C-alpha cells in the first residue's frame, strides 16, 4: 500500500514475514513508531468515546510497577530480569495498540477505505488457516528466527520471550491424555491461534462474502471448509463455544431471507461435519475435560494472590506453589512436572487481576462493554460484526490471554466500529 495507510498493510498483509523474522506479535510495536509519527503530523488528533478508560488502564499498569519486587503468599520466585522483561514488553504492547487505534481512526476513508481494512483482516485469516494446516500436517516444523539469533541468551531464553520470537507450527500438549500437537502458527500460542481464527473469520466473511462477487464467495466457502480442519485439531473449546455463540448472535440480529439462508447454511455445515472424521476428534475432546482442574487451580490461586494487592496488582505474573495435584513445591530440577502455568495465564481477565488488580480488570471490561452499548444500534455488516467481536472479547477474557496478537485484533475491530460511526456523524472529540 502507498500513502499514510502503509503501516497497517504491512502489519496485516505482511504478518507472515514478521513471524518468520521473529517479531510476530511484536511487529505492532515496531510499526507503532511510524504510526505515531504520521499521527503527530496531523494534529489535532481525534479520539473515540471510551478512550479515557484505556488511558486509565495504561496509567494503572504504570503504577503497578511499584509492586514488581513483591511476592504474595503462596507464590515463589524472586525479583529478576525475567519479571522486568515481561512487564516492559506488556507496557510496550499496550502503548503500541493505543497508538494503532488512534492512527486508524484518524485516517480518512480516502486514505484507507473501510472495506480495504476489512479485507486485509480477511487476508490474515487465510494466513491463519494456512498456518493451522501447517501445524496439523507438519507439527514439528520450527526454526530459529533472525531476532532470536541477535538477542542475548538472557533475553531470548526467557520463556515469555521465547514463545514470541521462536516460530513453531504447533504446540504439543496432553489435552487428550496423550501428547498431541495443537496448531499455533503464525502466532505465539495455540490458544492465541484459536482466538485470532474466530475474530478474523468474522471479518473474512464480511469482506469477501458479504461485499464479494460470486468468485469471492466460492473462495470463502473453500477456505472456511479447509479452516474446519485446524479448528477441530486445535482442541480449543473456547474457540468452538465462541463460534457457536457467534452464529446464534447473527441468527438473532439479522432478519428475513438472510436469517433463513444462514440457518440453512448452519444445518448443512453441521451435517457435513457430523459425517466427517473430524466429528470423532471433537467428541473425544469433549470427553477429556481434565484441563478444567488446571484452570480451576490457576484461577483460584490468582484471586488469592491478587487479594494482597487488589487495587494495583503486582505488575507481572507470579508462579504458584504446587499445582492442582500437590501443594508441596513449585517446578524444580528434580520435578519438572510439579510446576504450574503462571498465575493469570488462563485468560485476560485473570492476567489483569494479577498484574493490575481488580481496578484494571474493571476498566478493561468497561471499555469493551461500552463499545457494545454504543454501537449496538449499528446494523450494517461492519456494525454487526464489530459488536460480535466485542462480545467475543468479553467471552474470551475468561479463557484466553489477550496478549500478544489477540489484543491487536480486538482493538482493530474496535477501530472499525469507531470509523463506521464517524461515517454518519462528525466526531467532536480532539486533543
Amino acid at each position: 500500500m502507498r500513502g499514510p495507510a502503509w503501516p497497517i498493510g504491512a502489519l496485516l498483509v505482511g504478518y507472515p514475514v514478521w513471524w518468520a523474522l521473529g517479531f510476530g506479535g511484536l511487529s505492532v510495536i515496531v510499526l507503532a513508531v511510524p504510526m505515531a509519527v504520521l499521527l503527530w503530523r496531523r494534529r489535532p488528533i481525534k479520539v473515540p468515546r471510551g478512550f479515557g478508560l484505556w488511558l486509565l488502564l495504561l496509567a494503572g499498569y504504570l503504577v503497578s510497577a511499584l509492586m514488581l519486587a513483591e511476592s504474595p503468599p503462596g507464590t515463589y520466585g524472586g525479583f529478576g530480569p525475567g519479571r522486568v522483561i515481561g512487564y516492559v514488553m506488556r507496557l510496550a504492547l499496550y502503548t503500541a495498540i493505543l497508538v494503532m487505534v488512534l492512527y486508524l481512526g484518524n485516517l480518512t476513508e480516502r486514505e484507507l477505505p473501510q472495506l480495504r481494512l476489512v479485507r486485509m483482516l480477511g487476508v490474515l485469516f487465510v494466513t491463519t488457516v494456512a498456518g493451522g494446516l501447517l501445524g496439523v500436517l507438519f507439527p514439528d516444523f520450527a526454526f530459529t528466527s533472525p531476532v532470536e539469533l541477535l538477542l542475548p541468551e538472557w533475553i531470548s531464553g526467557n520463556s515469555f520471550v521465547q514463545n514470541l520470537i521462536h516460530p513453531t507450527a504447533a504446540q504439543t500438549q496432553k489435552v487428550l491424555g496423550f501428547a498431541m500437537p495443537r496448531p499455533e502458527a503464525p502466532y505465539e500460542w495455540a490458544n492465541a491461534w484459536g482466538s485470532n481464527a474466530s475474530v478474523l473469520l468474522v471479518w473474512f466473511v464480511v469482506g469477501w462474502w458479504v461485499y464479494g462477487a460470486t468468485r469471492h464467495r466460492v473462495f470463502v466457502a473453500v477456505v472456511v471448509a479447509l479452516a474446519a480442519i485446524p479448528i477441530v485439531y486445535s482442541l480449543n473449546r473456547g474457540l468452538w463455544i465462541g463460534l457457536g455463540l457467534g452464529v446464534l448472535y447473527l441468527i438473532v440480529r439479522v432478519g428475513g431471507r438472510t436469517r433463513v439462508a444462514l440457518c440453512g447454511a448452519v444445518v448443512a455445515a453441521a451435517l457435513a461435519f457430523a459425517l466427517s472424521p473430524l466429528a470423532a476428534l471433537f467428541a473425544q475432546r469433549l470427553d477429556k475435560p481434565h484441563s478444567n482442574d488446571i484452570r480451576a487451580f490457576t484461577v483460584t490461586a490468582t484471586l488469592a494472590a491478587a487479594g494482597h494487592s487488589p487495587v494495583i496488582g503486582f505488575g507481572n505474573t507470579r508462579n504458584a506453589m504446587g499445582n492442582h495435584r500437590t501443594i508441596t513445591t513449585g517446578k524444580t530440577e528434580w520435578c519438572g512436572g510439579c510446576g504450574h502455568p503462571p498465575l493469570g495465564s488462563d485468560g485476560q481477565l485473570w492476567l489483569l487481576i494479577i498484574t493490575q488488580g481488580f481496578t484494571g480488570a474493571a476498566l478493561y471490561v468497561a471499555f469493551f462493554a461500552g463499545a457494545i452499548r454504543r454501537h449496538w444500534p449499528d446494523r450494517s455488516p461492519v456494525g454487526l460484526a464489530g459488536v460480535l467481536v466485542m462480545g467475543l472479547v468479553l467471552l474470551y477474557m475468561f479463557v484466553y490471554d489477550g496478549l500478544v496478537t489477540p489484543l491487536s485484533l480486538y482493538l482493530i475491530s474496535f477501530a472499525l466500529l469507531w470509523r463506521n460511526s464517524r461515517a454518519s456523524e462528525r466526531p467532536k472529540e480532539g486533543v
Side-chain angles (χ1 to χ4, degrees), residues 112-181:
L112 179 59
Q114 190 83 320
L115 180 57
R116 182 175 296 173
L117 177 55
V118 171
R119 286 189 167 176
M120 285 194 290
L121 289 168
V123 171
L124 185 54
F125 176 72
V126 177
T127 300
T128 302
V129 173
L133 291 172
L134 177 67
V136 172
L137 300 174
F138 304 98
D140 296 326
F141 178 82
F143 60 92
T144 302
S145 71
V147 170
E148 189 176 1
L149 288 172
L150 292 173
L151 288 177
E153 197 280 332
W154 66 273
I155 296 180
S156 64
N158 179 275
S159 58
F160 178 66
V161 177
Q162 182 69 194
N163 281 325
L164 300 178
I165 65 175
H166 184 71
T168 55
Q171 186 177 10
T172 300
Q173 296 177 334
K174 296 183 178 180
V175 176
L176 298 178
F178 55 87
M180 183 170 177

Side-chain angles (χ1 to χ4, degrees), residues 11 15 18-19 22-30 93 96-97 163-165 186-188 404-406 408:
L11 175 66
Y15 189 84
W18 293 107
W19 178 70
F23 283 100
L26 301 178
S27 56
V28 69
I29 298 177
V30 178
L93 283 163
I97 290 169
N163 281 325
L164 300 178
I165 65 175
Y187 305 113
E188 54 273 8
V404 182
T405 48
S408 296

Side-chain angles (χ1 to χ4, degrees), residues 1-14 18 27-28 30-36 38 100 103-104 107 120:
M1 290 181 61
R2 290 172 292 181
W6 70 264
I8 198 66
L11 175 66
L12 298 177
V13 180
W18 293 107
S27 56
V28 69
V30 178
L31 291 168
V33 176
M35 289 183 194
L38 292 168
M100 180 186 67
Y103 158 81
L104 285 172
L107 291 175
M120 285 194 290

Side-chain angles (χ1 to χ4, degrees), residues 261-352:
L262 180 60
C263 290
V266 170
V267 171
L271 288 174
F273 177 78
L275 296 174
S276 74
L278 297 175
L281 183 60
F282 179 83
Q284 191 177 5
R285 175 64 180 103
L286 296 181
D287 287 338
K288 298 288 185 179
H290 78 279
S291 61
N292 293 350
D293 296 333
I294 301 175
R295 286 185 176 274
F297 173 87
T298 306
V299 170
T300 302
T302 298
L303 293 174
H308 296 277
S309 181
V311 178
I312 64 173
F314 290 95
N316 203 343
T317 59
R318 297 293 188 273
N319 294 306
M321 294 293 293
N323 56 36
H324 62 292
R325 296 190 183 95
T326 176
I327 61 173
T328 56
T329 184
K331 183 177 181 180
T332 65
E333 293 182 0
W334 57 269
C335 185
C338 292
H340 203 274
L343 300 184
S345 62
D346 285 318
Q348 184 66 17
L349 179 66
W350 319 117
L351 176 65
L352 288 164

Side-chain angles (χ1 to χ4, degrees), residues 367-379:
F367 179 82
F368 289 105
I372 293 175
R373 178 184 59 81
R374 288 191 300 275
H375 299 286
W376 185 267
D378 184 353
R379 301 184 70 87

Side-chain angles (χ1 to χ4, degrees), residues 58-250:
L58 185 59
Y61 195 56
L62 290 171
V63 175
S64 72
L66 298 172
M67 300 295 289
L68 280 174
E70 304 297 325
S71 293
T75 66
Y76 69 96
F79 179 71
R83 192 174 291 179
V84 176
I85 290 172
Y87 173 85
V88 171
M89 291 186 71
R90 288 189 181 94
L91 178 61
L93 283 163
Y94 283 136
T95 305
I97 290 169
L98 179 147
V99 171
M100 180 186 67
V101 170
L102 294 178
Y103 158 81
L104 285 172
N106 281 268
L107 291 175
T108 66
E109 178 67 12
R110 182 176 180 180
E111 290 171 326
L112 179 59
Q114 190 83 320
L115 180 57
R116 182 175 296 173
L117 177 55
V118 171
R119 286 189 167 176
M120 285 194 290
L121 289 168
V123 171
L124 185 54
F125 176 72
V126 177
T127 300
T128 302
V129 173
L133 291 172
L134 177 67
V136 172
L137 300 174
F138 304 98
D140 296 326
F141 178 82
F143 60 92
T144 302
S145 71
V147 170
E148 189 176 1
L149 288 172
L150 292 173
L151 288 177
E153 197 280 332
W154 66 273
I155 296 180
S156 64
N158 179 275
S159 58
F160 178 66
V161 177
Q162 182 69 194
N163 281 325
L164 300 178
I165 65 175
H166 184 71
T168 55
Q171 186 177 10
T172 300
Q173 296 177 334
K174 296 183 178 180
V175 176
L176 298 178
F178 55 87
M180 183 170 177
R182 301 174 62 202
E184 65 177 4
Y187 305 113
E188 54 273 8
W189 293 283
N191 283 344
W193 187 93
S195 174
N196 294 344
S198 61
V199 170
L200 291 170
L201 172 60
V202 172
W203 296 117
F204 180 60
V205 171
V206 171
W208 296 97
W209 179 280
V210 176
Y211 290 111
T214 301
R215 67 182 186 278
H216 298 138
R217 293 180 176 181
V218 172
F219 176 67
V220 169
V222 172
V223 173
V224 171
L226 289 173
I229 299 172
I231 284 174
V232 174
Y233 272 87
S234 71
L235 305 177
N236 210 317
R237 292 174 300 172
L239 165 61
W240 302 343
I241 293 171
L243 292 176
L245 292 178
V247 170
L248 290 176
Y249 162 86
L250 291 175

